[in-house]
Amino acid sequence: MKFSYTHVCMLMFLSSRFDLVCLKKTTRNKCGKINAAFNSETRVVYFLSGAEYIKYNFRYNTEETVAPLSNLGVNEELSNPDAAYTDRNGTIHILKGCLAYSFKWKSGEELVQDRITNVTTLGLPCDVDAALNKQGDVLVTKGCREWMLNQRTQMFEQRGNITDRGLPCDLDAAVEWPDSTYCFIKGVQFWKYDDDDVDGPFNTDLLNLCSWNLCGEREWMRMERSGTVSCNGDRRLCSLRLNQITLAGLHNAGSGFDGGFGFLDCFLRNHGLSITEQLRLGIRHFDIDPCFDKCGLLGSCHNVVCGGGICPMLKQLRSFLRDHLGEIVTLNFNHEIQQPEKVFPALSRQLMTQLGPMLNKHFRKSPKHVWPTLKQTIRKKKRIFVFYAPIIERPPHDEFYNKYKWIHSERFYGSTWIEFGVNDGCNKVVNITKEVCESRNWRELLEVSIIPSGFCINSNAAKCRPFYHQSLRACEQFRFVRNDSPNVLLVDYPEEANDPSSSVFQAVHHQNIRNIYQHKKSSCYVKVDAAVKVNAQTILFFSGSRIITYDVTHLSQSNIRHVPGLESIDAAYLSPAGNFISVIKGCIYWEINSTSLLPVSAEVTRNETCDIDAAIFWKDQLYTFKGCNVTSQGGRVQPLLKMGLPCSLDAALLIDSNVYAFKGNNYWIYNDHGEAKLVGKTLDWNIDVVHCTD
């Protein structure tokens, strides 16, 4: 037997699930506008749109409550009002068509209708645009005209045009702000006005009204994108799936970004920048402790304190993604959730309203539960992955989980977090990460969490920063076996790293380089063309068109340059004087300045050194590597295999009388005693020398 949509709704209504299932598809993406706004006697601002109102919270500069107008005691017939204002006596006037409905505050947040007046008897036209109380004087607008209330006659008198104030015609709403400025709204823009000046226009995103989809705010999310696809800043990542990439993660995102906690910052604050600033730095995973009661609204908490509203975080994220169309982000509203019965409904509505077209449901809708590639995610404009605390799968919250396939349970995410202190240093975190990664490797996604316990969050984070790179490498060995990668490096205060070796962004970047090579070996390869140590602090790696500056002190890549003419060279070595680098490509030899990399000599053809693999200047002699042999300047030839080195090296590097020989993703050390040993992986140097053909 087949059931119509109406039958299904009736059945679900009888099972008390009408509110979740019977939302008409035509209304899910319906947009509206701010119709009106007014102040209470306590200077609380209420915005009106359609049949709902939002109470605004100026402590956190975001919406506090969204509810039907009927909760205020306003009849449904006043849906989509034209304007509203509060007069000197505290009476609320809501204007619609040719009528003005007057209300008195009864108690708390409930209004009682007092009277109904025809606006034409007050000197106003029907269907006005906006109204506000301007320091006791009531201003009403329609089109470009404005009227002011004459307090003596209680009649409105036309005074001029609002364009004289620097404001646009055909406003939607207006309201007095608590700082005695005035907010005028039109579409997705608003202006702030005082007696001296007009500021704006500003985008209505800054008002942080997240429960409403205002027309014009999110249409860009469905626009087709053109041009070359870049995935989180690197085209090579595009063919990898979400479970194969690594993201920089912010622990307790939102905890204190709204001004901090004062003297408690040391104990409670996990970052000092806004969400926008963290996104600009490179954060792509946000770990959020959602709550409600402690903030008095949908917010992010840390233990017993409120860090700020979640709505501003969503607005900042949306604004960033609008300007960065090739970026994907994950949001984890984690198991530290408080008041889930309040959080889940409010959070789901705000996410749907603000980010709906970008929420990704591929994994839960795919028959085999496969994560999409980044290219699929970006092409389909589904660039946000959302995770809720695991209780979302249990009654009564499972109604949301069953309905919204873009909600993923946090149980898909494993974490390496266990409690540990750093009084004796943070080096233990590497072994902890290794052990926990191995035991929790069965999870779909795995987070490397470097969150130590102790007295002060910021100082603890500083102690652990030097171990970011090592911790990721400790985990990757287990993830790579599953054809996965470590998926998040979660830290506190990511913005405060002082050098590449302690930067979460550098650690994640180089982990992604290793991810690319591991998961794309059929189309990607590791290749160092040449390597030269130019001074005690700096090594130059030549790789394709890249010249990588390597910081010896911090054991990491610090810069990449592209110098015309130095692409895909065969070999390079430092001159005995150390002031220039000799470069060989094919049969051509020339010299460049070791700092500027600009030529200091003309090109010369040397047939005796054509198409070599590598070269070093060692013990006052030039050694050239080609095929399975190394030849000294005096003509002596030695087989590489007898030296313990492979044939056809990519590059050779001289450091302190030791020769470092590179081939693919392996490197050997040949010491002064004539002994060679395979030491490790080329990519463990934290250099980007991966090249892909796709």
Side-chain angles (χ1 to χ4, degrees):
M1 179 177 179
K2 294 184 178 179
F3 291 93
S4 69
Y5 181 76
T6 303
H7 288 131
V8 172
C9 286
M10 182 60 69
L11 290 171
M12 297 309 292
F13 176 79
L14 294 174
S15 63
S16 302
R17 297 184 181 182
F18 181 81
D19 58 329
L20 282 174
V21 176
C22 298
L23 295 173
K24 291 185 179 180
K25 292 184 178 180
T26 55
T27 63
R28 288 179 188 172
N29 297 313
K30 186 177 180 180
C31 66
K33 68 175 184 176
I34 299 173
N35 298 118
F38 64 87
N39 307 80
S40 71
E41 291 179 301
T42 56
R43 299 177 71 82
V44 174
V45 171
Y46 293 82
F47 291 97
L48 311 182
S49 178
E52 293 184 322
Y53 74 92
I54 281 179
K55 180 182 177 182
Y56 201 75
N57 185 300
F58 282 96
R59 164 65 179 86
Y60 297 112
N61 293 312
T62 186
E63 69 171 69
E64 180 176 309
T65 305
V66 60
L69 286 173
S70 58
N71 284 20
L72 273 179
V74 177
N75 296 331
E76 189 174 318
E77 64 189 51
L78 282 178
S79 297
N80 298 302
D82 295 329
Y85 67 90
T86 305
D87 66 20
R88 287 183 174 182
N89 300 317
T91 300
I92 310 300
H93 302 271
I94 300 177
L95 285 61
K96 184 174 182 180
C98 294
L99 299 177
Y101 299 78
S102 301
F103 295 85
K104 299 281 190 180
W105 289 104
K106 180 181 179 182
S107 62
E109 293 188 15
E110 186 178 356
L111 295 171
V112 176
Q113 188 169 307
D114 182 36
R115 64 185 184 276
I116 301 176
T117 308
N118 192 303
V119 296
T120 59
T121 65
L122 301 174
L124 288 173
C126 299
D127 305 315
V128 300
D129 293 334
L132 61 74
N133 185 326
K134 184 175 179 291
Q135 295 180 341
D137 294 325
V138 178
L139 169 72
V140 178
T141 73
K142 180 176 181 178
C144 297
R145 295 176 295 167
E146 65 175 48
W147 289 259
M148 295 290 291
L149 179 64
N150 185 314
Q151 295 294 339
R152 183 178 60 82
T153 65
Q154 289 298 295
M155 293 290 292
F156 283 91
E157 300 172 354
Q158 187 175 343
R159 293 289 180 90
N161 291 333
I162 57 174
T163 54
D164 296 336
R165 301 178 185 269
L167 295 169
C169 303
D170 305 313
L171 293 169
D172 290 335
V175 69
E176 183 181 6
W177 231 233
D179 62 1
S180 296
T181 59
Y182 308 97
C183 179
F184 293 87
I185 302 167
K186 180 178 180 179
V188 293
Q189 294 181 319
F190 72 95
W191 292 255
K192 296 195 75 174
Y193 174 83
D194 58 28
D195 288 335
D196 299 319
D197 200 10
V198 172
D199 288 330
F202 306 102
N203 193 284
T204 48
D205 277 340
L206 297 177
L207 296 176
N208 297 317
L209 305 176
C210 282
S211 292
W212 291 340
N213 174 20
L214 301 180
C215 295
E217 276 193 344
R218 70 177 205 179
E219 279 69 12
W220 61 270
M221 296 184 198
R222 300 184 183 279
M223 293 173 58
E224 294 294 329
R225 66 163 296 171
S226 58
T228 303
V229 173
S230 177
C231 302
N232 279 26
D234 195 328
R235 289 187 62 191
R236 296 170 296 179
L237 290 172
C238 290
S239 59
L240 299 189
R241 300 185 181 277
L242 183 69
N243 56 301
Q244 295 176 321
I245 66 165
T246 308
L247 303 175
L250 180 61
H251 177 231
N252 277 351
S255 65
F257 85 91
D258 191 56
F261 306 111
F263 71 94
L264 293 176
D265 274 359
C266 189
F267 305 97
L268 297 173
R269 196 170 189 177
N270 298 86
H271 60 102
L273 299 179
S274 70
I275 300 304
T276 296
E277 291 167 318
Q278 295 288 359
L279 284 162
R280 288 173 179 165
L281 284 176
I283 291 295
R284 294 295 179 269
H285 173 86
F286 293 90
D287 171 75
I288 303 164
D289 295 4
C291 62
F292 207 98
D293 290 350
K294 285 188 174 65
C295 297
L297 47 81
L298 179 63
S300 62
C301 284
H302 189 183
N303 296 327
V304 297
V305 294
C306 173
I310 283 178
C311 175
M313 300 170 69
L314 301 183
K315 289 287 192 179
Q316 291 179 45
L317 171 61
R318 188 172 75 173
S319 178
F320 177 84
L321 292 178
R322 180 179 59 226
D323 298 331
H324 300 81
L325 298 178
E327 301 295 319
I328 68 107
V329 171
T330 58
L331 306 174
N332 183 23
F333 299 95
N334 65 47
H335 56 278
E336 299 289 343
I337 186 173
Q338 302 174 35
Q339 300 87 46
E341 71 284 355
K342 295 181 180 180
V343 167
F344 285 145
L347 178 60
S348 299
R349 174 167 177 170
Q350 290 194 13
L351 285 167
M352 286 283 287
T353 301
Q354 298 304 307
L355 305 171
M358 290 192 288
L359 300 177
N360 197 301
K361 60 182 79 171
H362 183 282
F363 179 82
R364 289 191 60 204
K365 293 198 74 173
S366 64
K368 295 184 179 180
H369 280 196
V370 176
W371 297 103
T373 66
L374 268 62
K375 184 175 182 179
Q376 290 173 322
T377 298
I378 291 168
R379 288 291 191 194
K380 293 181 179 180
K381 301 176 284 294
K382 302 292 184 182
R383 297 185 285 136
I384 301 174
F385 294 85
V386 176
F387 297 82
Y388 279 12
I391 59 171
I392 191 64
E393 298 183 78
R394 301 199 297 268
H397 314 300
D398 60 337
E399 292 179 284
F400 290 95
Y401 187 70
N402 294 332
K403 180 172 179 59
Y404 299 124
K405 300 302 181 184
W406 51 265
I407 298 176
H408 302 85
S409 172
E410 192 188 13
R411 69 177 172 84
F412 292 129
Y413 248 117
S415 173
T416 65
W417 186 86
I418 62 173
E419 189 169 359
F420 71 96
V422 290
N423 289 336
D424 56 347
C426 193
N427 57 315
K428 69 189 77 169
V429 73
V430 178
N431 285 331
I432 289 173
T433 299
K434 180 179 179 180
E435 293 172 4
V436 182
C437 271
E438 183 176 17
S439 65
R440 298 177 183 173
N441 193 35
W442 56 274
R443 296 294 185 100
E444 287 284 342
L445 303 169
L446 192 58
E447 163 196 287
V448 174
S449 179
I450 304 185
I451 311 297
S453 304
F455 177 72
C456 189
I457 294 172
N458 201 344
S459 61
N460 290 342
K463 292 179 181 179
C464 289
R465 288 189 189 111
F467 301 97
Y468 290 166
H469 290 268
Q470 296 175 56
S471 296
L472 283 173
R473 285 198 293 268
C475 188
E476 73 174 28
Q477 58 184 303
F478 305 108
R479 298 297 284 168
F480 283 172
V481 171
R482 281 176 44 97
N483 200 29
D484 295 328
S485 298
N487 302 113
V488 171
L489 177 56
L490 191 70
V491 303
D492 292 318
Y493 285 97
E495 67 268 25
E496 296 197 6
N498 296 319
D499 56 71
S501 65
S502 61
S503 165
V504 62
F505 308 109
Q506 285 294 315
V508 165
H509 171 70
H510 290 292
Q511 181 61 54
N512 275 324
I513 297 302
R514 296 192 293 275
N515 296 341
I516 291 166
Y517 176 65
Q518 173 65 27
H519 300 304
K520 298 177 62 175
K521 286 185 177 178
S522 62
S523 59
C524 297
Y525 59 93
V526 175
K527 181 73 159 60
V528 176
D529 296 325
V532 178
K533 185 177 182 181
V534 295
N535 56 51
Q537 300 298 321
T538 306
I539 297 172
L540 295 179
F541 287 94
F542 297 76
S543 181
S545 63
R546 308 168 205 154
I547 302 175
I548 298 164
T549 302
Y550 181 84
D551 188 322
V552 175
T553 301
H554 298 119
L555 304 177
S556 185
Q557 168 182 313
S558 62
N559 187 32
I560 291 183
R561 285 182 282 179
H562 300 271
V563 179
L566 293 178
E567 301 91 350
S568 301
I569 64 174
D570 292 333
Y573 59 91
L574 191 66
S575 67
N579 57 347
F580 61 82
I581 297 171
S582 299
V583 178
I584 302 171
K585 184 175 182 179
C587 297
I588 306 299
Y589 165 96
W590 73 99
E591 295 169 345
I592 60 174
N593 183 280
S594 60
T595 302
S596 68
L597 305 184
L598 296 176
V600 295
S601 73
E603 294 182 352
V604 177
T605 300
R606 290 185 175 179
N607 294 323
E608 69 276 11
T609 57
C610 288
D611 302 318
I612 64 173
D613 298 325
I616 56 171
F617 199 88
W618 188 34
K619 297 182 178 180
D620 299 323
Q621 289 194 72
L622 176 65
Y623 290 82
T624 56
F625 298 77
K626 185 174 182 178
C628 292
N629 298 313
V630 57
T631 304
S632 67
Q633 197 167 357
R636 182 186 174 198
V637 178
Q638 291 179 273
L640 290 176
L641 295 177
K642 286 188 176 181
M643 298 169 61
L645 297 174
C647 298
S648 304
L649 293 176
D650 292 337
L653 170 66
L654 183 63
I655 301 178
D656 300 331
S657 298
N658 292 321
V659 178
Y660 288 68
F662 295 87
K663 182 175 182 178
N665 195 30
N666 294 312
Y667 74 95
W668 292 254
I669 294 180
Y670 182 81
N671 62 31
D672 203 19
H673 303 294
E675 301 167 335
K677 182 180 180 181
L678 177 62
V679 177
K681 303 295 185 183
T682 303
L683 295 181
D684 288 344
W685 285 66
N686 296 325
I687 52 176
D688 184 359
V689 291
V690 172
H691 302 269
C692 298
T693 57
D694 59 352

